[in-house]
Amino acid sequence: MIKVLFFASLREQLDCDAVDVAADGLDTIDDLRNSLGARGEAWQKALADERLQVALTQQLSTSDATLQDGDEVAFFPPVTGG
Amino acid sequence: MSVDISIAVQAEGFDPGAEYRQLRRANCEDGATAMFVGNVRDFSPDDAGGKQSVSVLELEHYPGMAESALTDIAREAAQRWPLGRVRVIHRFGPLAAGDEIVFVGTTSAHRQASLDACAFIMDFLKSRAPFWKKEVGVGKDGKTQGSWVEARSSDEQALKKW
């Protein structure tokens, strides 16, 4: 399983803060993004935003990063803390 | 000597005076202390170039990653400058206008290291630590409305000077 988290405006757009996804066939974060996008129009549209950032095992990462079963992945808009 | 790094991500408020005293406690080798405190503004610029009132700022964070991102930034600062102590606090949850949001404190033997490290930590925190602000206020129509703060390109630009 891959645990996927969503934060802030993305979480509100999807009306979802977390999903578990079977790791089979998902080699990279891009694969995961495409698979999530197939859940419906809202998902497709929200996840197509190029400004979204992604974290793999709680470290900022890139769309070509390789996934392993048990990983935690988070998608979120650019951060605005401080 | 290793740098004393202390990170906190918390809902509770903090006392900048108490944080200063903690940075100075039994610390006679560092002659300089630099501190930054960020507070909630009671307005945000609206699209028309005016000001919109903000009554509550809601801060969302990514538990776990927020702590590790702040720790990584503090460690990076400690590698670049000869620091004695580093303290970073970032709050989450609903905050009111005037409330403290963030604290960065650094100590060093001489001032330049602590001043630069404090600014460096704030600049990287702004663009790398997983926190998001939502401003909740009352619009011109009298209705309560919330809007997510947009990231500014000037924050990303600020990293280039380091």
Side-chain angles (χ1 to χ4, degrees), chain B residues 11-57:
Chain B
E12 306 79 49
F14 57 84
D15 175 0
E19 295 303 327
Y20 169 71
R21 288 189 291 281
Q22 191 61 32
L23 285 165
R24 296 308 317 169
R25 183 162 297 151
N27 183 5
C28 292
E29 61 266 40
D30 289 336
T33 305
M35 302 193 299
F36 174 85
V37 180
N39 299 73
V40 180
R41 276 187 295 269
D42 67 354
F43 71 91
S44 76
D46 67 17
D47 295 340
K51 289 179 178 178
Q52 193 125 24
S53 79
V54 173
S55 49
V56 175
L57 186 70

Side-chain angles (χ1 to χ4, degrees), chain A residues 12 14 17 22-23 25 27 31 38 42 44 49 61-62 66 75 77 80 82:
Chain A
E12 288 186 350
L14 299 175
D17 60 0
D27 294 331
D31 294 342
Q44 173 99 48
D49 188 340
S61 188
T62 50
T66 309
F75 292 96
T80 55

Side-chain angles (χ1 to χ4, degrees), chain A residues 81, chain B residues 57-61 90-93 95 101 131-133:
Chain B
L57 186 70
E58 286 177 10
L59 262 154
E60 181 167 331
H61 75 300
H90 203 302
R91 294 178 67 190
F92 61 83
L95 301 176
I101 307 170
F131 293 89
W132 300 271
K133 287 177 183 155

Side-chain angles (χ1 to χ4, degrees), chain A residues 5-9 11-12 51 53 55 57-60 72-74 76-82, chain B residues 60-65 72 90 101-102 125-134 148-151:
Chain A
L5 305 174
F6 308 102
F7 290 98
S9 55
R11 173 177 54 73
E12 288 186 350
R51 291 167 303 173
Q53 296 183 333
T57 59
Q58 305 198 349
Q59 297 279 332
L60 283 175
E72 178 176 301
V73 176
F76 44 80
V79 302
T80 55
Chain B
E60 181 167 331
H61 75 300
Y62 182 174
M65 183 178 168
D72 288 348
H90 203 302
I101 307 170
V102 61
L125 180 157
K126 279 273 183 188
S127 295
R128 297 286 184 268
F131 293 89
W132 300 271
K133 287 177 183 155
K134 187 181 201 180
W148 291 98
V149 172
E150 292 278 332

Side-chain angles (χ1 to χ4, degrees), chain B residues 34 81 106 111-121 162:
Chain B
W81 290 278
T106 52
R111 74 179 184 283
Q112 206 59 51
S114 50
L115 284 169
D116 286 351
C118 186
F120 169 92
I121 291 169
W162 304 110

